[in-house]
Each structure stands twice: as C-alpha cells, then as structure tokens.
Amino acid sequence: MMTTHARYFLPLLLLFYTVAAVAASLPDFTDLVQENSAAVVNISTTATKENPGSPGTPFPPEVPEDSPFYDFFRKFFEEQIPDNQGTPRQAASLGSGFIISADGYVITNSHVVADADEIIVRLNDRREFIAEIVGTDRRSDIALLKVDGDKLPVVKLGSSADLKVGEWVLAIGSPFGFDYSVTQGIISAIGRSLPNENYVPFIQTDVAINPGNSGGPLFNLDGEVIGVNSQIYSRTGGFMGLSFAVPVDVVMNVYSQLRESGHVTRGWLGVLIQDVTRELAESFDMEKPHGALVAKVLAGSPAEQAGIEVGDIIIRYEKADIAFSSDLPPLVGNSKIDTKVPLEIIRGGKRKQLKVLIAELPEEDKLAGAEDAATQDKPPNEMNLVVRDLTEEQRKELELPEGGILVDKVMQGPGSEAGIRRGDVILIVNNISVESVSQFEQLLAGLPRDRSVPILIQRRGAPTFLAFKLTGEEGE
C-alpha cells in the first residue's frame, strides 16, 4: 500500500526526470561559442555625409523614443554633427563579420561598409586592423575586406545545400555595439525570396538579429558557418522573430569571384516572370499552379534568341524543377556565362524542350515607366473598362512599337475583379495580341464564359499576367 509520502514523492521524482530529460535533449552551445568567437569580428565604419540642414538622427534610428534604452543608445552612437547645418558630417555605424582566411580576408555585408571612408576590424582579443574593400556585391549584399594580418583565427565553413527547416542555429555578432553577443534559434524556412533580392534564396530563422548583427556568421550545431546574417523583417525597427541570412554556398561563390577579380558576374536569361496562380493555372489548362510564367522577353536577350515567348511557363531549368517563379533567378544567376542550358516550358498546353545560351547579367535592367494621360471616355466593354488606342508618342515612352491599348477608366466588373488599374496597358488576351480597341472588343465577344482567361498587362513598365472571367452567354 502506497504511503502518503510516496504518493507525493513519486510525481515529484517523475517531474524531475522529465525536466532532466528535456534539458539533456537541448543543445549546448558553449563549446561552439568558445571555438568560434575568435574568428568573429566587430566592424566599425566612418563616412562623410551631407548634412540635410537639420540636426542629425542618433544611431540607431530604429530604437523608439519611448524605449527605456533610447537615451543610452543615443549617447553611445551620437553622430558628430557640425554646428553649421548644411555642412558635411561624420557618421559612424557598426556591423559584424568573420575571418575566412588566415591571411586576413573578412566577410561582411555590403551595406555595412557602403560609402565608408574608414573601416576598422576589431577582434575579440582587442587587436584592431584598418581594412580595405576588395570588392562588394550589391545583389547578394556581400562584401570582402582585407586586413594586414597573418595566422589569424578562421571559421569553419559548412554547406547550405542540405539545410533542414527546424534545425538549431546560432548567431554571433555585435547588436547595438554589444560585442560578441550570442543568440540562438531554429531555421524557419529555406529558399526564401525577398522583394528586390531575386538572386538570393535566403535562410529564414527566428534567431534574434538587430542592428549591428549584419554581416555576422550563422552557425549550425557542428560549428560550421552556414550563412551570413543580412536583414530582418520588422515594423518597429527591432527584432520581431523574422531574420534572414545569405546561404554560405552563395557567399562562397561571391567570395571566390571578389577575391579573384573584385567583382561578381551572374547568368542572365532576359525574362520578366511571375508566379502561376490558381486562376492562371486554370486559364492555361494546367492541373495545378507551378512554374515561372514569362510576362516579358527582353529584346536581344538569351531568352529571345532561344525562342522563349511571352506566355511560356518555365517548369524546369537544367535538372531542377521550378515550383515557384522565385526558384528560377538563383538558378540562372549561378549558371556559367556562355554555356548552353536545357529548360522545359509549357506552351499552349504542351511541353517543349529548349536550350538557351546564358549571357552575363547587365549592371542595370532598364524598364520604361508608363505614364497616365487624359483622354475622352469611350463606352465600356464587357470587362467594364474604358480603353483607348495608344498614340505614337505614348508608344515611344512605353517602348511599345506596336500593339497594346491603354486602360483609361476601371469600373466595377470583371476587369476590376482581376486587378486591372487605370494606366495599365493591355497587351495580350487569351494568348492573342491586342492590336486596337476594336479588335480587343471582338476578342472579348468570342471568349469562353465562366472560365478564367489570361490577360497580359503592362504596369509602370513591368508586364504582369492576370486572370479574369466573363459571365453570360458567349457572343452575347
């Protein structure tokens, strides 16, 4: 028979063993930190900036004024601003980095050292070096620095090819200037695409990253660098559980090119693409949405020479399947220049094999911006859009030698429900080029009803596919 003491003691003993088992299953980061801290560096920069004519903003500007730490950070990062407004001022900023070779090559973020007049790299043993920029790559936000050192501590490099969502990771950096702060978390997602960052499949984590962590290493449990902490998503300026790192495989490709030539080259296909939505998949007779839908083929590009057309859906590039449009740019960017690459497309509901000769990505892709212009209204059509033909002057501005009509007014109906806006240029409807307003209205009259139909528009210079659905009887 269980005694009173045993009745209370056994649950406590069970709880103790449960807590001990959970604690034993959690990772211990102490050895990892001790082995790698020496190769992680603090990077401070100074830059001369134009004073806009008002007192400078204390760094970091992301700290809210009602924060209890605001005054502390304001004093710590105070910028040296001259009394005379409108004259140049010295601005200071902080970041992180890590030593990748014993002879003094250091990896950090490009934005950490942008426009810097002086860069100081400080090790955790308090040694300081003045660094020179070997090269920067804005598209990946990676910079390579060189310090005059020898037999420096270095990190161990891993691979980002086999990362798994949920595995533990750790960051070392200098958030807000607090040197060698350590934060841990897990990988939240891989291959994440961010706006204006098409060539980097980011690693998303929930590791606490703040201003000053940028450029620092992201480690796995084996003590290997698997990424470079680059940016966060935040509505306050502080950490909100979403941080992003550049995968180490991308970093090493950039590092090799910067060390060898001081600049980075990428493969270029020459298409503007978008995701295939459920409605668009239906309009293209696809069983499910996948692939990269070609919204524009740039003139003189490798895509044009390979025979890729607007409306093609790229579903495979070399040996990789394209599930989302964001999968394609990193693959193209990593392709070798002047090599032929096989790709598979869907055109008119049928699969087709093509080969494209990859060229070098230009420095800047220039796309014309469309401008609205006043005109007199014409009777609305079945999409409830007021449209008009383009003038020769507008065609020159839009870089449209032929075809296309301008949307001048959008009323409630199929057009507004599809997302068409005033100022859009309608280029293609149901895979047929739109040449004029009268032809556009004829096309609408012959479209199938109660079924999604693809429509290609151009908005502010960027082509985009949408899907709309007409109701009623065909030819009504």
Side-chain angles (χ1 to χ4, degrees):
M1 187 174 190
M2 185 178 294
T3 66
T4 302
H5 291 292
R7 190 180 304 116
Y8 289 103
F9 176 73
L10 287 177
L12 289 175
L13 185 62
L14 179 62
L15 176 63
F16 171 79
Y17 280 113
T18 301
V19 172
V22 171
S25 65
L26 293 175
D28 183 356
F29 295 104
T30 53
D31 290 341
L32 190 159
V33 174
Q34 291 177 0
E35 293 172 2
N36 291 281
S37 290
V40 180
V41 300
N42 171 282
I43 297 176
S44 60
T45 68
T46 55
T48 302
K49 296 186 177 180
E50 293 296 327
N51 192 344
S54 60
T57 303
F59 182 88
E62 296 88 351
V63 179
E65 292 190 17
D66 58 356
S67 168
F69 300 103
Y70 179 80
D71 288 336
F72 171 77
F73 289 127
R74 183 176 183 276
K75 293 176 182 178
F76 190 83
F77 291 101
E78 191 72 36
E79 294 179 348
Q80 303 301 314
I81 303 172
D83 294 333
N84 297 328
Q85 295 181 8
T87 58
R89 58 187 175 85
Q90 291 295 312
S93 65
L94 292 177
S96 305
F98 55 93
I99 305 172
I100 198 170
S101 66
D103 56 348
Y105 283 94
V106 177
I107 293 288
T108 187
N109 278 149
S110 177
H111 75 262
V112 169
V113 297
D115 303 319
D117 297 323
E118 183 180 57
I119 304 171
I120 297 178
V121 172
R122 185 172 71 251
L123 279 64
N124 71 342
D125 60 8
R126 304 186 69 177
R127 282 185 292 172
E128 292 187 357
F129 300 91
I130 295 178
E132 294 183 356
I133 298 177
V134 177
T136 62
D137 179 45
R138 180 184 57 81
R139 287 188 170 100
S140 66
D141 195 21
I142 295 298
L144 180 62
L145 311 179
K146 179 68 170 68
V147 299
D148 188 13
D150 188 29
K151 297 182 180 179
L152 297 174
V154 298
V155 296
K156 183 170 60 172
L157 298 173
S159 171
S160 51
D162 299 321
L163 296 179
K164 296 180 179 178
V165 174
E167 69 175 279
W168 287 95
V169 285
L170 175 138
I172 304 178
S174 303
F176 300 117
F178 292 106
D179 294 351
Y180 304 99
S181 296
V182 178
T183 52
Q184 54 79 29
I186 62 170
I187 294 178
S188 305
I190 54 178
R192 186 70 80 194
S193 178
L194 300 181
N196 302 320
E197 301 288 352
N198 295 330
Y199 293 94
V200 178
F202 283 96
I203 304 167
Q204 179 186 330
T205 76
D206 67 350
V207 177
I209 300 296
N210 284 291
N213 274 114
S214 293
L218 184 70
F219 293 96
N220 61 17
L221 287 184
D222 293 327
E224 300 170 331
V225 174
I226 50 100
V228 175
N229 298 308
S230 180
Q231 54 185 292
I232 62 174
Y233 173 83
S234 175
R235 293 181 176 176
T236 65
F239 175 68
M240 293 184 66
L242 292 169
S243 54
F244 300 93
V246 182
V248 71
D249 292 352
V250 174
V251 175
M252 292 310 298
N253 181 24
V254 172
Y255 162 73
S256 300
Q257 294 192 59
L258 290 178
R259 182 164 180 174
E260 182 178 342
S261 63
H263 69 278
V264 175
T265 60
R266 286 185 174 82
W268 181 53
L269 189 58
V271 293
L272 300 184
I273 56 175
Q274 65 180 88
D275 269 332
V276 179
T277 63
R278 180 178 58 82
E279 294 80 9
L280 285 171
E282 178 187 341
S283 71
F284 286 111
D285 293 323
M286 299 173 64
E287 293 183 1
K288 66 175 183 178
H290 67 287
L293 175 57
V294 178
K296 185 174 184 177
V297 179
L298 302 181
S301 66
E304 183 184 57
Q305 296 171 8
I308 295 176
E309 300 175 0
V310 171
D312 288 348
I313 301 172
I314 301 173
I315 59 173
R316 191 172 181 82
Y317 184 87
E318 285 194 294
K319 298 180 180 179
D321 291 328
I322 308 299
F324 300 94
S325 61
S326 58
D327 296 338
L328 184 60
L331 295 172
V332 176
N334 287 330
S335 299
K336 292 183 179 180
I337 312 301
D338 296 329
T339 58
K340 281 195 172 183
V341 175
L343 50 83
E344 185 174 352
I345 65 170
I346 295 177
R347 178 184 297 169
K350 297 181 180 179
R351 297 196 174 200
K352 187 174 183 178
Q353 310 291 330
L354 296 175
K355 281 194 174 182
V356 58
L357 182 64
I358 298 299
E360 182 178 346
L361 179 69
E363 286 294 324
E364 295 293 337
D365 296 328
K366 298 181 180 179
L367 299 175
E371 297 183 2
D372 291 339
T375 185
Q376 27 178 294
D377 290 354
K378 293 186 178 181
N381 43 56
E382 292 182 81
M383 293 186 70
N384 251 8
L385 303 175
V386 176
V387 294
R388 64 182 175 84
D389 292 319
L390 293 166
T391 65
E392 289 302 319
E393 183 178 350
Q394 290 168 340
R395 291 191 182 282
K396 290 180 181 179
E397 293 176 354
L398 299 171
E399 293 187 358
L400 291 173
E402 57 184 14
I405 58 175
L406 183 67
V407 177
D408 200 52
K409 190 174 182 180
V410 180
M411 291 169 282
Q412 185 61 37
S416 63
E417 293 170 1
I420 295 176
R421 304 174 188 171
R422 181 177 181 270
D424 289 348
V425 177
I426 298 175
L427 301 175
I428 295 176
V429 174
N430 203 26
N431 298 320
I432 300 175
S433 298
V434 176
E435 305 296 338
S436 65
V437 171
S438 59
Q439 184 235 7
F440 171 67
E441 292 172 350
Q442 292 175 4
L443 286 175
L444 294 183
L447 291 178
R449 266 52 178 174
D450 297 318
R451 178 184 179 279
S452 294
V453 175
I455 181 171
L456 178 65
I457 59 133
Q458 179 170 301
R459 178 178 298 160
R460 292 190 296 275
T464 302
F465 271 101
L466 301 173
F468 70 96
K469 183 184 294 185
L470 297 179
T471 57
E473 295 183 3
E474 188 172 341
E476 183 178 50

